[in-house]
Amino acid sequence: MVQIFKFLLKSNKSPARAHFRPSFLDTLRLAVRGGHGGNGLPKYGGVGGQGGCVYFVAKEGLTLRKMAQGLKDRRVAASSGEDSSKVSIFGKRGVDTRIEVPVGVQVYDEQQKLLADLNENDAKCIVAGGGTGGCTGNNFLGRPGENRIVNLDLKLIADVGLVGFPNAGKSTLLKAVSNAKPKIAAYPFTTIRPQIGTIEYGDLRSISLADLPGLIEGAHANFGMGHKFLKHIERTRLLLFMVDIFGFQLSPRHPHRDCLANIYSLNKELELYDPSLLEKPCVLLLNKMDKEGAHDILTKVKPIIDDLSSGLADCPEEVRPKRVLKFESIVPISAINSTRVTQVKSQLRRTLVRLAEKQFVSDGEQIKEQLQQRVGLVGPRIT
Ligand SMILES: Nc1nc2c(ncn2[C@@H]2O[C@H](COP(=O)(O)OP(=O)(O)OP(=O)(O)O)[C@@H](O)[C@H]2O)c(=O)[nH]1
């Protein structure tokens, strides 16, 4: 009888969903606790060992999901310091707990205060200090370690951020220029998580390109997946905007926006989310140029895109930005046929090289200034 029941229960089990993929994880909450300080020994003036601390180390190639899998109950503690004893007057320090986190993680406390920004491989930060050991100052009673909740917020780091409304052809471009294998389909929101691809050049240089999906009108106010993906733009050095030359309509309930309105709308979304994003260098791609009528639209809109402020008066009020973007370059392309894709690759590289040069010069100036201050008037002359 038991066997029959077992068989029936087994056969009723629903099959695993073949399309199931774990979703992208970019935030994680952890409880961290430093070790308790060991007690001192009053009779001999012995000092207890300090509690161990919990610290994070950034490691490339690690994801928050992988990290979370290793921390099932989301609690991390370090061990306590040793008590002072007759044979060991100074108690041993507690063992520290090292937790590896992905590069690009920002650590916040419960009051949303930034504790650390781990954006380099091997960058470290202590998130919970150990308690002090018992000594004369605390009546030989060891103190508890720091105990708090920390929030980890992962922001992707890529050289280039690909920004555009759904269906513009971002995944198609990513596939054409890089080694990424994104999902492509003729309906919006095919891409549900950021994808990063590497563009490789003949001289073995490479740059990373992140497709940041989910941007829609109102994303700045957290509509759609709003902030979840907008935040990733902050860490990119160059913005690559992409619009469909024929415009875009989110759904039959939403108005159809032509290509110009789309550009203004993207401009406004970034401006409202964080105006400093508008200072990043940017390149615009006008996609789907292989379709009939695309060149006529391009001839009409190109002069306005060259100087976006000239078209502001005709722009629908709800998508009108206060400050307009100035594109370094505007490239009409067909991502599906790879037309002018090589030009896009060279343009991205040129802009990034120029940026790096600028940064190098300004770093150099800063170092020179610091040196001059340190050496002062008595040292050798710095030219
Ligand atoms: N005719 C034409 N169609 C294109 C071109 N680029 C992309 N498409 C088509 O446009 C549709 C959307 O392309 P995707 O690459 O998925 O667009 P996306 O911007 O990544 O879309 P989301 O995943 O919604 O963010 C697909 O059917 C593509 O085949 C192009 O250059 N010309």
Side-chain angles (χ1 to χ4, degrees), residues 162 164-174 182-192 211-215 242 244 246 248 286-291 333-339:
L162 184 52
F165 289 128
N167 234 21
K170 300 183 296 297
S171 307
T172 310
L173 177 80
L174 188 71
K183 202 174 162 198
I184 298 169
Y187 48 85
F189 301 115
T190 318
T191 316
I192 48 166
D211 173 6
L212 306 167
L215 199 59
M242 184 183 236
D244 184 333
F246 292 92
F248 170 66
L286 298 163
N287 193 27
K288 309 202 182 174
M289 289 306 296
D290 55 291
K291 283 168 105 179
I333 63 160
S334 165
I336 210 162
N337 295 339
S338 293
T339 315

Side-chain angles (χ1 to χ4, degrees), residues 139-179:
N139 279 337
F140 297 94
L141 289 172
R143 289 280 150 90
E146 257 181 303
N147 187 1
R148 62 173 155 200
I149 302 283
V150 288
N151 292 306
L152 279 73
D153 189 15
L154 178 65
K155 290 182 182 170
L156 296 176
I157 303 174
D159 298 313
V160 184
L162 184 52
V163 189
F165 289 128
N167 234 21
K170 300 183 296 297
S171 307
T172 310
L173 177 80
L174 188 71
K175 198 173 166 199
V177 296
S178 76
N179 58 351

